[in-house]
Amino acid sequence: AQSVTQPDIHITVSEGASLELRCNYSYGATPYLFWYVQSPGQGLQLLLKYFSGDTLVQGIKGFEAEFKRSQSSFNLRKPSVHWSDAAEYFCAVGAHQAGTALIFGKGTTLSVSS
Amino acid sequence: DTAVSQTPKYLVTQMGNDKSIKCEQNLGHDTMYWYKQDSKKFLKIMFSYNNKELIINETVPNRFSPKSPDKAHLNLHINSLELGDSAVYFCASSRATSNEQFFGPGTRLTVL
């Protein structure tokens, strides 16, 4: 079955500290992987994506993610968290073909403490 | 310069009513989608359209009917609204050659 697991429901990080959000997926074909961020009351903003090539991808707002095929993981990282990073983060997997569904994880809520 | 827009942003209505949510994208994309985000923030695909043709029609009650008048618009009409329809509905779009989906701001539907 196709699925995405985000093991951490809620994470609290001190401002300036590093961050890693975990994502594991199960997908039968070559996966197209995404991280989206949803700020309170806002829509989904794409942080970064991976389909092929370099397994370490850079995104917006200083985020990066590493694809590890052997572990079926696509973890999101940021070296220094800012208070404005507090939001809901969603990992998603899908086919490369347009029109097909993205399968989302249940999200990780990130809180940033001062 | 809004890429994917939805109207209205908030919709409060009574059970049994019929309502529509509109979605427009100015990205020149050929493919559009509707997702539902439930109260636990879980996102699930409802429909997808490519060039006005239905591609995905997930297990959604037939009270929900998408309509695509042109490839820049995908509206969602809901008949006989029920309490369980309360959710945030997101529209998205992508190019015909990629599944990178760009999302709208969402419409929060509350059924009383």
Side-chain angles (χ1 to χ4, degrees):
Chain A
Q2 301 169 345
S3 65
V4 174
T5 302
Q6 293 180 244
D8 304 304
I9 296 173
H10 192 175
I11 284 183
T12 299
V13 174
S14 298
E15 190 168 16
S18 63
L19 169 71
E20 181 169 31
L21 301 182
R22 296 182 291 164
C23 173
N24 292 95
Y25 66 90
S26 173
Y27 200 72
T30 303
Y32 198 178
L33 292 154
F34 306 85
W35 275 99
Y36 286 88
V37 60
Q38 183 179 22
S39 298
Q42 301 298 312
L44 293 159
Q45 182 180 24
L46 179 65
L47 284 175
L48 44 77
K49 61 187 184 288
Y50 174 79
F51 181 66
S52 64
D54 191 346
T55 56
L56 184 63
V57 292
Q58 302 296 320
I60 63 171
K61 304 185 179 187
F63 286 92
E64 66 178 27
E66 185 171 14
F67 171 64
K68 292 186 178 180
R69 184 184 301 277
S70 62
Q71 299 177 19
S72 296
S73 69
F74 188 56
N75 294 347
L76 182 72
R77 300 195 293 250
K78 186 170 185 178
S80 178
V81 168
H82 187 261
W83 64 267
S84 61
D85 293 324
E88 192 81 21
Y89 290 80
F90 293 95
C91 181
V93 67
H96 192 254
Q97 180 184 357
T100 56
L102 292 185
I103 298 164
F104 284 83
K106 294 187 176 181
T108 297
T109 303
L110 173 65
S111 297
V112 180
S113 61
S114 55
Chain B
D1 60 344
T2 303
V4 182
S5 60
Q6 296 178 227
T7 52
K9 188 171 175 63
Y10 300 97
L11 184 53
V12 181
T13 188
Q14 300 287 332
M15 270 197 309
N17 284 349
D18 303 338
K19 290 294 178 185
S20 292
I21 305 172
K22 295 185 177 181
C23 177
E24 176 181 4
Q25 54 92 5
N26 62 5
L27 297 167
H29 290 167
D30 295 288
T31 309
M32 297 185 73
Y33 312 76
W34 277 109
Y35 285 82
K36 179 180 180 180
Q37 185 176 45
D38 64 22
S39 59
K40 296 184 179 179
K41 297 193 176 180
F42 183 59
L43 281 146
K44 189 173 180 183
I45 186 81
M46 299 174 70
F47 304 102
S48 74
Y49 268 73
N50 183 51
N51 254 331
K52 304 194 299 175
E53 289 192 16
L54 183 65
I55 303 174
I56 293 177
N57 184 356
E58 283 295 308
T59 308
V60 174
N62 57 16
R63 298 181 294 102
F64 289 79
S65 54
K67 287 184 172 52
S68 183
D70 55 61
K71 70 176 191 178
H73 296 82
L74 180 61
N75 304 323
L76 184 65
H77 189 75
I78 316 169
N79 289 328
S80 303
L81 278 155
E82 300 177 357
L83 293 176
D85 297 332
S86 295
V88 180
Y89 292 86
F90 285 101
C91 177
S93 71
S94 70
R95 294 190 305 271
T97 55
S98 169
N99 207 11
E100 179 181 345
Q101 297 180 19
F102 295 82
F103 284 78
T107 295
R108 181 174 293 277
L109 171 65
T110 303
V111 182
L112 303 174

